[in-house]
Amino acid sequence: MRYAILSDIHGNYEAFTAVLKAVDGMDIDDVVCLGDVVGYGANPNEVVELARTRVRVTILGNHDQAAVDPAEEAHFNSWAVQAIRWTRDRLTADSLDYLRSLAYESLLPDVRFVHASPSEPEKWRYILSPQAAAREFSTFEESFCFIGHSHVPMIVLRTEVGTSELLDGEVALPAGARVLINVGSVGQPRNGDPRASFAVLDLEDRSAHLVQVPYDVDAARAKIVEAGLPRFLGDRLLLGQ
Ligand code: ZN
């Protein structure tokens, strides 16, 4: 089985459709989404609708949770609060039902999917360094753990020798090794590369790699500005920051 693992689409329809088009050409069996389907971008309902038809399993993200529960805004900065209120005001009943149905984590045999951290999925903690990732390995048992949330791709390998970050965007798992992979963000990358990021997992050969796909950033940015969302949320797409 080959999986495409997406995260942090954030209502960016242009990025999501570009990624799905790439996935269509990649011999993928199923698509998984690690959450934050909405928030920041101008097309929350369109993205939910597409996720409903194209994504096999979607995990709950903190923005999805805040979209259905205003109390969760307390953890957000002012741009995120403005965007999530804008989003909540526009979500249809069907979209809200979909977001309410999402769970904190999901498992395949030997694979864990979670939005933020495997140790405390409901706390929305960020794993921003290989050192922080290293501390997570004692909190899950699977060989593969996929996360999102930071919008920055990262692959951290754990072997009997130790823990190390792999910088070339791919891993073939040696026997006995385990890996934690941040797949990056489809709709609002923050690693300095404006392209949409996701991961491909091949369970037969126990390998995974990161993929970057260009999309129409200008169109997504223009929609954000026209919608009256904070201009910064559009501008940051141009830089991938
Ligand atoms: Zn996010």
Side-chain angles (χ1 to χ4, degrees):
M1 287 285 281
R2 280 166 58 85
Y3 296 87
I5 302 155
L6 286 46
S7 192
D8 296 277
I9 303 167
H10 282 293
N12 186 333
Y13 187 77
E14 285 70 27
F16 192 21
T17 50
V19 164
L20 290 174
K21 192 173 175 198
V23 164
D24 285 340
M26 295 178 81
D27 191 26
I28 296 293
D29 297 295
D30 264 333
V31 179
V32 175
C33 175
L34 304 181
D36 280 3
V37 178
V38 302
Y40 298 136
N43 289 113
N45 288 306
E46 292 82 355
V47 166
V48 167
E49 192 55 39
L50 204 49
R52 197 195 290 277
T53 55
R54 291 296 310 273
V55 177
R56 174 62 69 96
V57 178
T58 298
I59 310 294
L60 180 71
N62 51 317
H63 288 253
D64 308 319
Q65 188 179 53
V68 299
D69 181 1
E72 294 296 321
E73 285 176 7
H75 312 292
F76 282 18
N77 66 41
S78 66
W79 292 301
V81 168
Q82 287 180 62
I84 209 67
R85 289 180 181 166
W86 181 96
T87 299
R88 192 185 303 121
D89 287 346
R90 285 159 183 81
L91 286 170
T92 64
D94 280 354
S95 294
L96 288 165
D97 283 348
Y98 179 81
L99 297 175
R100 280 192 199 96
S101 75
L102 307 180
Y104 282 109
E105 55 195 329
S106 178
L107 298 173
L108 287 171
D110 213 23
V111 186
R112 179 172 294 254
F113 300 113
V114 61
H115 181 68
S117 76
S119 54
E120 297 177 299
E122 70 291 346
K123 294 261 179 78
W124 311 123
R125 250 182 339 96
Y126 290 93
I127 300 172
L128 297 171
S129 67
Q131 293 74 20
R135 292 192 287 272
E136 295 290 316
F137 279 94
S138 63
T139 69
F140 66 93
E141 295 172 350
E142 294 77 14
S143 296
F144 292 90
C145 178
F146 289 89
I147 65 171
H149 194 42
S150 72
H151 301 205
V152 177
M154 180 169 67
I155 301 179
V156 179
L157 183 69
R158 163 66 60 95
T159 67
E160 57 210 1
V161 179
T163 308
S164 55
E165 183 176 14
L166 306 183
L167 297 174
D168 56 0
E170 58 185 6
V171 58
L173 216 56
R178 301 160 66 216
V179 68
L180 186 141
I181 298 177
N182 191 315
V183 304
S185 170
V186 169
Q188 196 196 79
R190 295 178 192 163
N191 57 322
D193 182 341
R195 294 176 297 173
S197 175
F198 67 102
V200 171
L201 165 66
D202 189 319
L203 277 181
E204 261 89 278
D205 61 13
R206 294 173 61 76
S207 71
H209 65 278
L210 298 169
V211 181
Q212 288 80 36
V213 176
Y215 73 94
D216 192 344
V217 176
D218 290 327
R221 175 184 173 275
K223 281 183 181 177
I224 286 172
V225 174
E226 282 160 24
L229 283 157
R231 176 174 287 269
F232 164 72
L233 296 176
D235 290 344
R236 73 187 305 178
L237 297 180
L238 299 172
L239 301 170
Q241 282 295 357

